[in-house]
Amino acid sequence: MDTTDTPFARIAAETRYVLLGFPVAVVSFAVVLAGLAAGAGSTVAVVGLFVLVGTLHIARGTSHVDRVRLADVLGRPVERRPYRSAAPGAGPLRRALTPLSCPQSWLDALYAVVRLPVAVVAFVLTVTWWAGALGGLLHPVWGWSLYTVPGYTDVGSHVLPESPVLATTVIHMVAGALFTLTAPLVVRACAQAETGLARAVLLAPEDAGVRVRTADAPTPTDAPPRVPSSI
């Protein structure tokens, strides 16, 4: 069932996606980038290979979290590309180092690094618009506190000197209304920027043979094998 089938549910899901994506992006960027740097710097000592393997497993974990979040904001299950498994009969060492030859594992690590700028911009814009909307519309509730600040001069005194408090309240509420009306567009753009990057890197290609499967959509008979995300 699509949980984003109403405007309010959709904007709530997109806002939640953007706001929660920022801390996930910061943590994954810091951990994965540090792991890649440490592993690459110590590969000569062999131990660096295992550091890289551990980092790729962390990247897999954070990517799984993002697939869960993608399913939430899209309102349907998602499918990922398969991860490479060790060949049958491979020894313990070869099994342990298998992630190093897995393209999707490296894509997960790349995603953890490149997603941060997008997440930061989306987070800042979303917070700014919702803060402007709530702050403006609720100005009658909190605006009085500004007059307790010594030397405070409101904007209304320059617009309507006879009734500065009224003018200031109207200006703030009009600004809040504008932020509220444009918030769905801004948040939608921010969410689409993030989901677009995530879908391109973390999910199976969406073409005639490979699709993001909805709950009631049949699987094409000629589609290549796909691995559903266990969410």
Side-chain angles (χ1 to χ4, degrees), residues 38-127:
S42 56
T43 51
V44 178
V46 181
V47 67
L49 296 177
F50 293 97
V51 174
L52 288 176
V53 168
T55 302
L56 293 179
H57 279 295
I58 293 174
R60 282 190 188 186
T62 57
S63 295
H64 177 71
V65 171
D66 277 289
R67 293 187 188 100
V68 173
R69 295 175 54 247
L70 270 175
D72 174 56
V73 74
L74 297 176
R76 60 179 182 266
V78 298
E79 297 181 9
R80 63 167 172 80
R81 295 183 181 91
Y83 290 104
R84 178 169 296 176
S85 302
L93 179 60
R94 186 175 179 182
R95 287 180 177 275
L97 298 180
T98 297
L100 296 178
S101 61
C102 174
Q104 185 56 46
S105 295
W106 287 105
L107 284 176
D108 291 347
L110 175 65
Y111 175 72
V113 174
V114 301
R115 64 172 296 193
L116 182 62
V118 179
V120 169
V121 173
F123 179 83
V124 170
L125 289 177
T126 299
V127 169

Side-chain angles (χ1 to χ4, degrees), residues 207-227:
D207 55 28
V210 183
R211 300 181 183 275
V212 175
R213 189 188 309 165
T214 58
D216 54 352
T219 302
T221 55
D222 58 344
R226 296 166 295 174
V227 181

Side-chain angles (χ1 to χ4, degrees), residues 123-148:
F123 179 83
V124 170
L125 289 177
T126 299
V127 169
T128 299
W129 248 255
W130 282 125
L134 294 176
L137 294 178
L138 297 178
H139 184 266
V141 177
W142 61 269
W144 61 268
S145 62
L146 296 177
Y147 293 93
T148 62

Side-chain angles (χ1 to χ4, degrees), residues 180-220:
T180 302
L181 292 174
T182 56
L185 299 177
V186 174
V187 175
R188 173 71 57 82
C190 292
Q192 287 184 343
E194 288 203 65
T195 57
L197 177 61
R199 294 171 76 169
V201 180
L202 302 181
L203 301 186
E206 297 182 47
D207 55 28
V210 183
R211 300 181 183 275
V212 175
R213 189 188 309 165
T214 58
D216 54 352
T219 302

